Amino acid sequence: MKNTNLKKNFIWNTIGVMTFSLTSLFYTIILMRFSTLKMTGIFSFGFTLACTTTALAALGGRTYQVTDVKNELSPFTYIISKFFTVSTVSIFILIFLLFRDYSFEKFIVVFLLCIFKYLEELSDVYYGIMQKEDKLYYVGIIQFIKSIVNIIVFLLTIMFLKNLIVSVISIVMVNFLFLLLLEMPIARKLNKWNHSTNRQQLLKYFKVNTTICVFTFLTMCLSNAPKYAIDVYLTDEIQAVFGIIIMPATVMILVCNFITNPILIQIANLYNDKKVKDIFKLFKKIILIIFLIGILGLIVAYFLGVPFLNIIYSSNFDKYKLELMIIILGSIFYAISTICSSFLTSIRKISIQLYMNIIFTVIAFIISFPLVKIYGITGGAISYLAVMFIRMLCYMIMTLRKLKGKV
């Protein structure tokens, strides 16, 4: 495995992941300034549903692909399976939306946002090929440029056309053109894969990654359970407000991504070489970093969080300070459990995560729906915190036990 671009990979991956992760923030800011609160709420819910169902389209995602250090599956196997899962999930989400009592505009926007995210998932399989060829910095550069283009296109269409459907169509087209004209050709140039696969490889891939797919989907469901409850009991306007105050929590997940992505292959190699003690040291170091960053984030949010939201969204969020602090605290727990999940996945401890996430998802919906119905947006924040704390506690215990070899 080549590893000559570590510094460049880390820097550009950080830039790319940061820009990519913040695009939804910029979309929301643009909508708050140039559209209505109702449209912002529709977009927020649609984006959430798109991200959740993308977990099904991912079928394991790039983590499994890049940690396949023994090259058990061919690049084309990953590609063809990704196209299959994306197509299948697109059909399922269309059928699901047809049975929802949404307005025509909400139906179209939500479905297009799902297609938008599914195209990003197709891109991800080619990013995996680039990363395995020690060109993770290519991924960072592409994500950076594509994110900037999407934000500019979205801004211009909303400003001048005032039509959310047209704006979402425009960013769907941007993703499609990047995939077709840039990402696929670059990956092909780096790896001259054979355009063939076999049934055994495909069956093996689906068998192994179905577990990853399901637990990732459940993770998205449980983390967004308050939003689904709001969609049932409250209004699109409240959905917009909740989507805005939960937005700062994405920073913690962003931190997780750019810390863990460059070292996933390193973890897999250490485990393959049976250097569990080295993995344990690395794990403790990353958890400490995330915890310290989280504490700093809480302090900053307490003094500057609400004023910052008021400025960038040109609205008043003073009465939501408590909810903001609760959600940021919950995001720290979420980030730590995400780190644990990445470590467990890298060392192929996957099945146990499925059972854990089934339990967490059931708990999330049991807690979220009644709390949101009774206490509104405050209930959504409290349910988020409670579920993330339970999840973090269980994940920490399980990861430490696995790394110490006690089970």
Side-chain angles (χ1 to χ4, degrees):
M1 177 71 66
K2 299 181 288 294
N3 192 29
T4 59
N5 298 309
L6 185 60
K7 183 177 180 180
K8 191 188 300 185
N9 285 339
F10 182 81
I11 292 173
W12 272 110
N13 181 69
T14 300
I15 294 172
V17 170
M18 285 183 64
T19 310
F20 175 78
S21 300
L22 291 174
T23 52
S24 59
L25 169 64
F26 285 107
Y27 295 147
T28 307
I29 294 173
I30 291 168
L31 286 171
M32 284 291 292
R33 289 184 175 271
F34 299 103
S35 187
T36 65
L37 190 61
K38 180 179 177 65
M39 290 297 100
T40 306
I42 291 174
F43 183 92
S44 177
F45 175 74
F47 204 85
T48 297
L49 182 64
C51 291
T52 302
T53 53
T54 296
L56 295 175
L59 194 71
R62 200 189 335 161
T63 298
Y64 190 92
Q65 181 183 357
V66 300
T67 56
D68 181 11
V69 293
K70 296 180 180 180
N71 296 315
E72 297 177 349
L73 303 178
S74 67
F76 190 69
T77 298
Y78 288 108
I79 293 171
I80 198 67
S81 62
K82 187 60 64 74
F83 272 86
F84 173 78
T85 55
V86 165
S87 300
T88 303
V89 174
S90 298
I91 295 172
F92 283 146
I93 196 65
L94 177 60
I95 295 172
F96 169 78
L97 292 174
L98 287 172
F99 282 93
R100 297 291 293 165
D101 187 24
Y102 293 149
S103 66
F104 175 77
E105 185 174 31
K106 185 171 183 177
F107 169 83
I108 295 297
V109 168
V110 172
F111 180 68
L112 287 174
L113 284 171
C114 289
I115 298 300
F116 172 72
K117 295 300 294 183
Y118 300 161
L119 285 171
E120 289 180 346
E121 193 55 45
L122 288 178
S123 297
D124 202 62
V125 72
Y126 295 102
Y127 294 163
I129 293 172
M130 296 178 203
Q131 184 172 353
K132 289 197 72 174
E133 295 296 326
D134 196 32
K135 294 294 189 294
L136 183 59
Y137 66 93
Y138 279 13
V139 178
I141 293 171
I142 293 172
Q143 285 186 316
F144 173 74
I145 296 173
K146 183 164 65 173
S147 298
I148 296 299
V149 172
N150 270 323
I151 291 170
I152 293 173
V153 168
F154 191 79
L155 172 62
L156 293 176
T157 52
I158 283 292
M159 284 180 62
F160 295 108
L161 300 179
K162 307 294 184 181
N163 189 306
L164 183 56
I165 293 177
V166 174
S167 297
V168 177
I169 290 175
S170 68
I171 60 177
V172 169
M173 291 305 300
V174 169
N175 275 7
F176 176 74
L177 291 175
F178 265 82
L179 173 66
L180 186 66
L181 302 179
L182 188 64
E183 294 156 350
M184 294 173 67
I186 289 177
R188 183 59 178 162
K189 185 177 180 180
L190 291 174
N191 189 308
K192 304 294 183 181
W193 62 78
N194 187 353
H195 284 80
S196 64
T197 186
N198 58 62
R199 185 179 180 182
Q200 287 72 28
Q201 277 196 323
L202 280 173
L203 289 175
K204 180 178 181 180
Y205 179 77
F206 278 93
K207 180 180 179 180
V208 172
N209 285 278
T210 295
T211 301
I212 301 176
C213 170
V214 174
F215 90 70
T216 303
F217 172 71
L218 292 173
T219 299
M220 296 296 295
C221 284
L222 68 92
S223 63
N224 289 302
K227 288 190 175 183
Y228 301 131
I230 290 172
D231 186 59
V232 172
Y233 294 118
L234 306 178
T235 65
D236 289 327
E237 287 79 6
I238 296 297
Q239 187 74 261
V241 172
F242 189 82
I244 289 170
I245 64 174
I246 203 173
M247 195 68 72
T250 60
V251 175
M252 290 305 302
I253 308 306
L254 166 65
V255 171
C256 285
N257 286 335
F258 77 71
I259 287 178
T260 57
N261 277 347
I263 62 171
L264 288 174
I265 297 177
Q266 179 185 353
I267 297 170
N269 284 326
L270 287 172
Y271 184 72
N272 193 48
D273 295 336
K274 302 186 185 305
K275 296 180 179 179
V276 180
K277 289 184 178 180
D278 291 334
I279 300 177
F280 185 63
K281 291 179 182 178
L282 186 61
F283 172 75
K284 290 193 295 184
K285 181 179 180 180
I286 293 176
I287 291 296
L288 178 61
I289 292 172
I290 293 295
F291 180 75
L292 293 176
I293 292 175
I295 297 300
L296 177 62
L298 273 175
I299 296 172
V300 173
Y302 181 81
F303 293 102
L304 302 176
V306 170
F308 178 73
L309 292 179
N310 291 342
I311 292 172
I312 65 172
Y313 290 106
S314 188
S315 189
N316 191 330
F317 293 90
D318 291 348
K319 63 180 180 180
Y320 299 112
K321 184 175 182 177
L322 174 62
E323 289 83 359
L324 176 64
M325 297 301 297
I326 291 173
I327 286 173
I328 291 179
L329 179 59
S331 73
I332 299 174
F333 300 148
Y334 185 19
I336 292 175
S337 62
T338 299
I339 292 291
C340 294
S341 179
S342 294
F343 269 79
L344 290 173
T345 301
S346 294
I347 64 175
R348 296 299 184 260
K349 304 299 181 182
I350 300 167
S351 297
I352 185 64
Q353 296 186 69
L354 173 61
Y355 305 125
M356 291 168 65
N357 276 280
I358 290 174
I359 296 172
F360 298 145
T361 302
V362 172
I363 292 173
F365 280 85
I366 289 176
I367 292 176
S368 296
F369 276 72
L371 283 178
V372 167
K373 184 177 182 180
I374 297 171
Y375 299 107
I377 195 170
T378 304
I382 293 173
S383 64
Y384 179 84
L385 173 64
V387 173
M388 292 309 150
F389 176 75
I390 295 171
R391 185 171 185 263
M392 179 207 68
L393 192 62
C394 294
Y395 255 105
M396 281 289 291
I397 294 172
M398 182 57 61
T399 304
L400 290 173
R401 293 183 69 189
K402 289 294 182 182
L403 292 181
K404 289 182 177 180
K406 291 186 177 181
V407 295

